[in-house]
Amino acid sequence: MTVIAPSILAANFARMGEEVAAISAAGADWIHLDVMDGHFVEQITFGPAMVAALRPNSSLPFDAHLMISPTDRYLAAFAEAGADTITVHVEAGPHLHRSLQRIRELGVKVGVAINPGTAVETVVPVLDDVDLVLVMSVNPGFGGQSFIPGTLDKLRSLRELIGSRPITVEVDGGVSASNAAAIVAAGADVLVVGSAAFKGGGQAYAANLAAIREATGVAG
Ligand code: DX5
Ligand code: ZN
């Protein structure tokens, strides 16, 4: 079954706790937490304190996408705050393997992310160390951008490289009901959805998520 992971970057920041509860009740499978530091990416969003504050508002897996650099000094805080998966970027620093080892030692799922301009082959040295590969389909830092079409070939290449390993493939950025089927067909297991999940306000969340799930051809 395709996992739908709404990104709270697109939620109402003034009511984030209620938003996480509402999108969870509306049919989300995971909650995608876009952590941005204003250094690795232009925008600043939130840190471990926000994740800890949100934790009681949903029993769904918290999928922390760290668009930060450096990463290592913050990993334990995100794990303690309640993140179930911690994903760091290949591009975030020179010691990716050590960062992934540290996440593993924290007892949470290990994810690695690649930007649109980064070759999929860069994750080959760590494929035996991760549970998830996050393929960015927009340049990170902002929601509401358009899906980069070349991502589909990248997904197919990634699937070849992964082979039979039990690795989850996640796609993040510009995902909607109109491209969800093609993204899943190219090899994605998890769809991160920001604008398309939260558009129209709380009353629309269930219908938004149902439309995306239906578009993937998988019953809710
Ligand atoms: C961008 C974030 C994405 C983004 C997705 O840096 O990593 O998760 O919020 O939002 P949409 O679905 O609106 O592109
Ligand atoms: Zn993200």
Side-chain angles (χ1 to χ4, degrees):
M1 183 188 95
T2 301
V3 170
I4 310 293
S7 159
I8 64 168
L9 184 66
N12 179 342
F13 271 53
R15 301 174 44 249
M16 197 61 100
E18 295 151 66
E19 290 277 80
V20 165
I23 202 76
S24 299
D29 295 309
W30 295 1
I31 301 295
H32 186 79
L33 306 163
D34 278 318
V35 179
M36 299 181 187
D37 65 358
H39 172 244
F40 182 72
V41 293
E42 207 174 314
Q43 199 171 178
I44 297 173
T45 54
F46 48 79
M50 172 66 93
V51 176
L54 295 173
R55 185 66 274 182
N57 289 280
S58 174
S59 58
L60 296 179
F62 274 12
D63 174 35
H65 174 195
L66 304 190
M67 288 166 275
I68 69 173
S69 170
T71 59
D72 289 11
R73 68 184 72 159
Y74 301 106
L75 300 176
F78 280 104
E80 281 150 33
D84 297 281
T85 300
I86 297 177
T87 296
V88 295
H89 271 258
V90 162
E91 308 88 353
H95 303 296
L96 172 67
H97 185 274
R98 183 168 60 197
S99 300
L100 299 174
Q101 275 182 320
R102 289 193 173 166
I103 297 170
R104 180 68 72 206
E105 288 158 8
L106 290 165
V108 300
K109 289 211 178 293
V110 183
V112 63
I114 50 173
N115 284 331
T118 301
V120 68
E121 289 76 11
T122 57
V123 300
V124 168
V126 297
L127 283 179
D128 292 324
D129 304 291
V130 300
D131 303 300
L132 178 143
V133 178
L134 169 55
V135 180
M136 290 304 296
S137 39
V138 296
N139 286 298
F142 298 95
Q145 301 178 76
S146 300
F147 180 84
I148 297 172
T151 309
L152 297 178
D153 282 341
K154 209 166 179 181
L155 284 170
R156 286 186 273 268
S157 304
L158 177 61
R159 273 289 173 210
E160 289 281 309
L161 293 169
I162 287 173
S164 59
R165 295 179 181 88
I167 291 178
T168 297
V169 175
E170 184 173 26
V171 172
D172 185 356
V175 178
S176 68
S178 63
N179 58 20
I183 296 168
V184 170
D189 304 300
V190 181
L191 304 180
V192 175
V193 192
S195 320
F198 286 95
K199 67 185 180 188
Q203 299 312 313
Y205 292 172
N208 291 344
L209 296 180
I212 294 157
R213 200 180 297 284
E214 196 180 316
T216 64
V218 178

